[in-house]
Amino acid sequence: MNILGISAFYHDSAAALVRDGEIIAACQEERFTRKKHDFNFPKNAVIACLKLGAISIKDVDHVVFYDKPFVKFERILETSLSYAPSGIRQFMKAMPLWLKQKLWISEVIRKELGFAGKVLFSGHHESHAASAFYPSPFQEAAFLTMDGVGEWETASFGIGKNNALDLQHYLRFPHSLGLLYSTFTYYTGFKVNSGEYKLMGLAPYGEPKFKELILRSFWILKTTVLLS
């Protein structure tokens, strides 16, 4: 069985080909377009994966997308309404891409690749857990996932056993350690969804000179948000 995995329309679009449980190929779109963090549909990456697997798109049994767009859209819509009118500008800015592409992933995949089979969608943190557990040498293991935000979840933990994943508990948006890390990334002058690894690499060389300033700033920020 050939399964083609795709991520797209957020950052670092990529594709991977799995055959009978074995990873045959995996590529990021930016390697072909030379655009850093390219978020567009990873057509070049897909072509490369199929070529490395010596198959055509007709030989692919399933295409799997890395999250559930409709659930994510629900979160964005609900959050925007909760913070209206202040959140309306960001909501309107995001809508063109959602209405044109993100809500119609199945159709986009079929159009871009000429794929006639079934398109499947996994939960965002389920994808994270799978990418760690399935390639590991363990038949059973605990897993912990953390990022900015998926659909509603921002972190999860559970147990993987054989070919099954049991995501037992979640941390839900807006509570997010990943978004807190992104906040510090932006605060120190780096680009969000790009410079986090730089902040991570530089962190061991720092000294807590600004600890009190940061605590005071967070308290001011928190008070402002609560009062608004």
Side-chain angles (χ1 to χ4, degrees):
M1 177 176 286
N2 293 303
I3 299 175
L4 180 67
I6 290 177
S7 67
F9 306 133
Y10 187 48
H11 63 81
D12 300 288
S13 293
L17 177 64
V18 176
R19 178 180 298 149
D20 297 330
E22 179 184 355
I23 300 173
I24 303 300
C27 309
Q28 280 189 304
E29 186 69 4
E30 70 170 23
R31 301 301 184 184
F32 303 94
T33 63
R34 313 310 296 171
K35 296 178 182 177
K36 190 67 174 175
H37 302 305
D38 195 340
F39 66 88
N40 292 294
F41 188 85
K43 192 167 186 178
N44 295 293
V46 169
I47 292 172
C49 287
L50 296 178
K51 185 177 180 180
L52 289 168
I55 62 173
S56 71
I57 192 65
K58 294 181 180 179
D59 300 309
V60 174
D61 296 281
H62 300 294
V63 173
V64 183
F65 195 71
Y66 77 112
D67 69 6
K68 298 181 178 181
F70 280 96
V71 181
K72 181 173 284 188
F73 182 74
E74 174 193 46
R75 187 252 302 165
I76 293 173
L77 179 60
E78 185 173 322
T79 303
S80 299
L81 291 175
S82 298
Y83 287 94
S86 60
I88 195 65
R89 181 179 298 178
Q90 186 175 0
F91 179 75
M92 295 302 294
K93 185 178 179 180
M95 279 307 95
L97 186 59
W98 274 97
L99 296 177
K100 184 179 179 181
Q101 295 175 321
K102 289 186 176 183
L103 285 176
W104 317 106
I105 296 297
S106 294
E107 288 74 12
V108 171
I109 288 173
R110 292 191 173 95
K111 179 181 178 181
E112 292 285 346
L113 303 180
F115 180 67
K118 193 170 185 179
V119 179
L120 304 175
F121 298 85
S122 64
H124 187 91
H125 281 265
E126 185 180 20
S127 297
H128 277 308
S131 70
F133 175 64
Y134 290 138
S136 78
F138 307 111
Q139 292 299 309
E140 183 174 3
F143 61 79
L144 171 67
T145 70
M146 286 188 287
D147 67 0
V149 59
E151 290 87 3
W152 279 99
E153 296 78 18
T154 63
S156 73
F157 69 83
I159 296 173
K161 187 174 182 180
N162 298 324
N163 67 341
L165 291 172
D166 181 15
L167 279 69
Q168 298 178 342
H169 295 280
Y170 296 96
L171 185 66
R172 285 174 63 86
F173 181 85
H175 309 291
S176 171
L177 288 172
L179 291 179
L180 177 63
Y181 205 93
S182 292
T183 299
F184 274 99
T185 300
Y186 180 80
Y187 187 74
T188 51
F190 296 109
K191 188 177 180 181
V192 173
N193 292 329
S194 173
E196 282 83 355
Y197 77 99
K198 297 177 182 177
L199 189 68
M200 190 186 307
L202 290 169
Y205 300 96
E207 296 179 6
K209 294 180 179 179
F210 304 102
K211 177 183 176 182
E212 295 303 320
L213 175 62
I214 290 171
L215 289 175
R216 289 199 304 271
S217 296
F218 266 108
W219 174 249
I220 294 169
L221 176 61
K222 183 178 180 181
T223 303
T224 302
V225 172
L226 288 174
L227 291 177
S228 63

